[in-house]
Amino acid sequence: MKAMIFAAGLGTRLKPITDTMPKALVPVGGEPLLHHVICKLRDAGYTHLVVNVHHFAGQIREYLATHDFGVSIAISDESAQLLETGGGIAHAAPLLLPSEDPILIHNVDILSNLDLAWFRSEVRPSALSTLLVSERETSRYLLFGEDMRLMGWTNVTTGEVRSPFPAEALADCRKLAFSGIHNVSPAIFPAFEEAGFTGRFPIMDFYIQQCARYPIYGVLAPSLQLVDVGKLDSLSQAEALFRTL
């Protein structure tokens, strides 16, 4: 099975730590974030990993070259240009294909108790993508219909709504927050091309614009504990979660 770890981000919210190292190498529990995510994926049965790099790419390359995790790890190089999440997936296609199974996409700054095997089992055969979501409080939510099909996005602070569906269809949608973990079908690569998504683009732009055309679903994990290590004040939360894991 194949998975991709997003490790190319600038980590601006973790400054000044990320002034001298990539976010992927920020330590939690004595080991870099990248270490924790690789081990979690390996232990869940993923044997072929792709890690994208941009910010302090050389440090990540050196770390991977000097640590043996017992799985195949390839580098998707975005040194020339940071391609964001959607463009990053598209750019990594030669390293991720062919694949008979859904491909796991996992942000490097997410630590959780998610059972990845369970998450794979929740993927519907027809799904182009399956998003792990939660009921945490935030300002930006994804909108899901009764069958947990993605229907749009909203910012509850500004009132902005983005959706290809008519407004009346969104009235009873559930508002859920994206976790930074998703399973994508290999069919997503031709779908990018069919929808005209090339170069640099956020994957969420593709999901929101194309959710009426392609089946994209959300999944709520029971008893999910998750920390997004995106800010300095979240490091202590990550340390606490690490001790419980």
Side-chain angles (χ1 to χ4, degrees):
M1 293 187 297
K2 298 180 179 181
M4 180 174 183
I5 301 173
F6 283 147
L10 300 176
T12 53
R13 294 180 299 164
L14 280 174
K15 284 179 172 290
I17 298 175
T18 48
D19 286 337
T20 56
M21 70 170 64
K23 178 167 58 176
L25 298 185
V26 171
V28 170
E31 296 286 356
L33 288 167
L34 183 59
H35 169 94
H36 297 303
V37 176
I38 290 175
C39 290
K40 184 176 182 68
L41 270 55
R42 176 199 63 198
D43 295 347
Y46 290 92
T47 57
H48 182 89
L49 309 183
V50 174
V51 179
N52 72 342
V53 296
H54 174 81
H55 185 56
F56 289 115
Q59 291 188 31
I60 297 178
R61 286 182 177 275
E62 182 179 2
Y63 177 79
L64 293 175
T66 54
H67 292 75
D68 183 9
F69 291 95
V71 295
S72 168
I73 302 178
I75 296 289
S76 181
D77 194 343
E78 297 179 27
S79 297
Q81 181 187 24
L82 187 60
L83 297 171
E84 299 199 38
T85 48
I89 296 172
H91 183 68
L95 302 173
L96 294 168
L97 296 175
S99 178
E100 297 180 358
D101 302 305
I103 299 163
L104 179 72
I105 310 295
H106 198 300
N107 287 2
V108 77
D109 56 1
I110 299 296
L111 295 181
S112 77
N113 67 344
L114 176 66
D115 182 336
L116 291 174
W118 172 86
F119 186 45
R120 283 198 305 270
S121 74
E122 292 295 301
V123 174
R124 308 184 198 194
S126 65
L128 187 75
S129 185
T130 304
L131 318 178
L132 180 71
V133 293
S134 68
E135 294 180 317
R136 65 182 173 87
E137 187 174 341
T138 181
S139 60
R140 294 171 292 182
Y141 292 97
L142 296 176
L143 303 175
F144 294 92
E146 285 185 8
D147 63 348
M148 286 297 287
R149 179 163 177 168
L150 180 65
M151 297 185 69
W153 171 94
T154 185
N155 184 322
V156 295
T157 301
T158 64
E160 181 186 2
V161 176
R162 294 167 56 196
S163 172
F165 293 93
E168 57 269 21
L170 306 177
D172 298 321
C173 281
R174 296 182 69 178
K175 297 182 179 69
L176 298 166
F178 180 47
S179 70
I181 303 173
H182 40 145
N183 274 304
V184 301
S185 165
I188 201 167
F189 296 101
F192 286 153
E193 295 181 12
E194 291 167 8
F197 279 77
T198 59
R200 180 179 180 178
F201 65 94
I203 189 61
M204 203 51 65
D205 282 1
F206 171 80
Y207 287 158
I208 294 164
Q209 290 184 29
Q210 299 297 315
C211 60
R213 181 178 183 182
Y214 301 106
I216 300 166
Y217 296 99
V219 169
L220 276 167
S223 305
L224 179 66
Q225 294 177 274
L226 183 147
V227 175
D228 178 347
V229 192
K231 298 180 181 178
L232 289 174
D233 59 7
S234 64
L235 283 172
S236 59
Q237 300 172 35
E239 292 281 355
L241 177 59
F242 172 77
R243 289 193 291 272
T244 68
L245 298 177

